[in-house]
Amino acid sequence: MLLNNNSNIAMAEEKLTDRLTSMPFFDGLSEEQMDVVSNHLEMFVFEPDEVIFQEGDIGDTVYFIADGNLDVLMQAGFGENVRLATLSTGSTFGEMSIIDDLPRSASVKAITQSTVMGLKKESFERLLEDEPRIGVIMLKGLARFMSEHLRETSESLSDFLEPG
């Protein structure tokens, strides 16, 4: 659920964006730069069991969890959803959607009431064009974030491979 923009929401967003500065995606941004970025963020509140997006949906937003817990689910070959991960406050998800135009690779569903900030691909691209210094910092953060996830995935996969 997208929240309307009024003074109470603006105050809540200001406090929530303070939490975002510790996330790898925003690491290295000054307070002034974070203020610029926060103008491009939307705040959402999801209730327990509410689906944020489904595997296969077209995606255009990366999300940052300001508060709450969410499950990342993928449909297995036998038709059932399998939990890939549980994300909590401080986590990022949906980041591939601002890089590629491919469908979502998994579904995400709220476990608890969750407050999430979203950055649309269009806004991210506008930041890259209008604020190149901010864009470079964010791209480096995105690269670090994706690199960490690739390493974690490789490590997890190695547990299932036979010695060679």
Side-chain angles (χ1 to χ4, degrees):
M1 166 181 40
L2 176 63
L3 296 179
N4 295 327
N5 202 3
N6 62 36
S7 60
N8 289 338
I9 299 300
M11 282 181 26
E13 283 181 351
E14 185 177 313
K15 290 177 184 171
L16 292 174
T17 54
D18 288 345
R19 292 185 185 180
L20 300 180
T21 58
S22 64
M23 295 180 184
F25 205 88
F26 303 109
D27 188 33
L29 289 177
S30 69
E31 190 173 322
E32 294 80 23
Q33 291 170 324
M34 194 62 213
D35 287 342
V36 171
V37 172
S38 68
N39 290 326
H40 293 273
L41 297 172
E42 297 177 79
M43 185 169 69
F44 302 86
V45 175
F46 297 102
E47 297 301 322
D49 295 321
E50 189 173 352
V51 175
I52 290 78
F53 55 75
Q54 293 273 7
E55 180 178 352
D57 287 352
I58 300 302
D60 71 344
T61 306
V62 57
Y63 296 95
F64 311 97
I65 305 173
D67 189 49
N69 297 296
L70 302 113
D71 272 340
V72 179
L73 308 162
M74 184 178 270
Q75 191 168 32
F78 50 86
E80 296 288 324
N81 278 336
V82 203
R83 183 181 317 121
L84 299 178
T86 298
L87 306 175
S88 58
T89 302
S91 296
T92 302
F93 64 97
E95 67 283 346
M96 292 187 293
S97 71
I98 62 169
I99 301 298
D100 61 32
D101 292 318
L102 298 173
R104 298 282 190 185
S105 60
S107 300
V108 177
K109 182 170 104 171
I111 300 170
T112 62
Q113 184 180 58
S114 301
T115 304
V116 176
M117 305 298 284
L119 176 64
K120 291 195 171 294
K121 181 177 186 171
E122 178 183 308
S123 293
F124 181 64
E125 289 174 348
R126 194 170 329 117
L127 275 168
L128 291 173
E129 190 173 312
D130 297 346
E131 302 285 346
R133 285 195 166 150
I134 293 174
V136 166
I137 292 168
M138 291 178 70
L139 282 171
K140 284 182 177 179
L142 176 62
R144 273 191 311 274
F145 176 80
M146 293 180 85
S147 176
E148 286 173 20
H149 278 268
L150 182 57
R151 288 176 190 272
E152 289 169 6
T153 300
S154 296
E155 193 173 300
S156 294
L157 181 60
S158 71
D159 293 340
F160 294 99
L161 298 176
E162 291 184 26

